[in-house]
Amino acid sequence: MFDFSNKVVIVSGAAGNLGQAVVAAFLDAGGTVCAVDHQKGRLADILDSSPAHDKLFIIEGVDVTKMQQVADVAQQIDTLGGKADMLVNTVGGYAAGERVYQLSNAQWQMMMDLNVHSFLNLSAAFVPAMQSKGSGKIVTIGAKSGLQGGAGSGAYSAAKAALLRLTESLAAELKENGIQVNCVLPAIIDTPQNRKAMPQADFSKWVSPEKLAEVILFLCSPASDAITGAAIPVYGSA
């Protein structure tokens, strides 16, 4: 359906459930993928199983909440695959249980680091090159919870709400440069971790990482050139 031949795609959080699906989808569509991940060794299976392994560059041991590490990766990617055409940040985190009036600095900072600062650092590292090219696509991963807070999830909801506002603001700032910036809003993603945490749920109502990846590829394709600053709900039937 999509053709990303001769396009360089940065996928952060590449070894996560969603990250792996996004990497596989872009490789299947002919893209050159720079897969960035915090832990080492988790991306070996993708490299071994993909027939397009010659278009996959694995960069591990990178903490995208640290600006200098991201800047170093950007230079490395320029050497390996070339300037980025697309940036998909799947890095994020969820923590809940603390009420707002009991919220710890540790949980607040963790939610902001994973869900907000990762995006800010990646944007700082890759947006200037997109501006110089006069084109680019950026996709962030928000959450339905970013639209409305809930009991015990204040820090997470606030972080995802901040990410959405930053996505919208960056889209407004870059639209004159031919760069589109959009956000997808999952509800519950069908992952082994979520199934374990909610064993009584109806998993058929959840959205698979593969289905979410299809929406992300659309937002990185020429078909979305007229869309920027959007928050696309991908809730399934949950």
Side-chain angles (χ1 to χ4, degrees):
M1 181 183 300
F2 301 110
D3 183 3
F4 290 98
S5 301
N6 302 316
K7 297 296 183 180
V8 177
V9 187
I10 314 302
V11 180
S12 64
N17 295 293
L18 178 57
Q20 289 194 36
V22 171
V23 168
F26 273 114
L27 289 174
D28 288 345
T32 296
V33 180
C34 297
V36 181
D37 197 69
H38 179 51
Q39 296 188 32
K40 295 183 178 181
R42 298 200 301 173
L43 287 164
D45 290 343
I46 298 179
L47 181 61
D48 293 340
S49 62
S50 173
H53 62 270
D54 60 319
K55 291 189 174 183
L56 175 62
F57 298 94
I58 294 176
I59 305 171
E60 297 178 309
V62 180
D63 183 351
V64 295
T65 70
K66 308 297 184 185
M67 182 63 238
Q68 188 56 56
Q69 291 190 33
V70 179
D72 292 343
V73 165
Q75 291 185 342
Q76 185 178 356
I77 287 174
D78 286 348
T79 302
L80 290 173
K83 299 291 185 181
D85 297 292
M86 293 107 187
L87 169 64
V88 181
N89 180 30
T90 75
V91 172
Y94 174 78
E98 295 183 356
R99 297 187 176 191
V100 170
Y101 67 92
Q102 299 171 322
L103 191 61
S104 65
N105 288 335
Q107 186 168 115
W108 175 264
Q109 193 61 52
M110 179 174 66
M111 290 298 91
M112 289 297 167
D113 282 343
L114 290 173
N115 297 297
V116 178
H117 293 151
S118 62
F119 168 65
L120 293 176
N121 291 340
L122 287 160
S123 297
F126 291 104
V127 163
M130 291 182 179
Q131 288 179 302
S132 67
K133 293 173 66 172
S135 64
K137 302 278 189 176
I138 300 172
V139 180
T140 64
I141 313 300
K144 187 177 182 181
S145 297
L147 302 178
Q148 182 176 3
S153 61
Y156 176 72
S157 294
K160 287 300 189 182
L163 176 64
L164 180 53
R165 298 288 87 83
L166 289 169
T167 301
E168 293 166 346
S169 295
L170 186 62
E173 293 164 356
L174 297 180
K175 62 184 179 181
E176 299 302 325
N177 299 116
I179 301 168
Q180 291 80 50
V181 188
N182 293 294
C183 185
V184 294
L185 302 178
I188 302 176
I189 303 176
D190 188 3
T191 67
Q193 295 87 342
N194 284 337
R195 289 192 177 207
K196 183 178 180 180
M198 294 171 276
Q200 305 303 319
D202 183 352
F203 306 142
S204 67
K205 293 184 178 181
W206 295 354
V207 176
S208 71
E210 291 74 21
K211 287 296 183 182
L212 195 54
E214 290 178 4
V215 179
I216 291 170
L217 260 67
F218 163 73
L219 290 174
C220 288
S221 75
S224 71
D225 283 351
I227 302 172
T228 195
I232 310 297
V234 191
Y235 299 158
S237 55

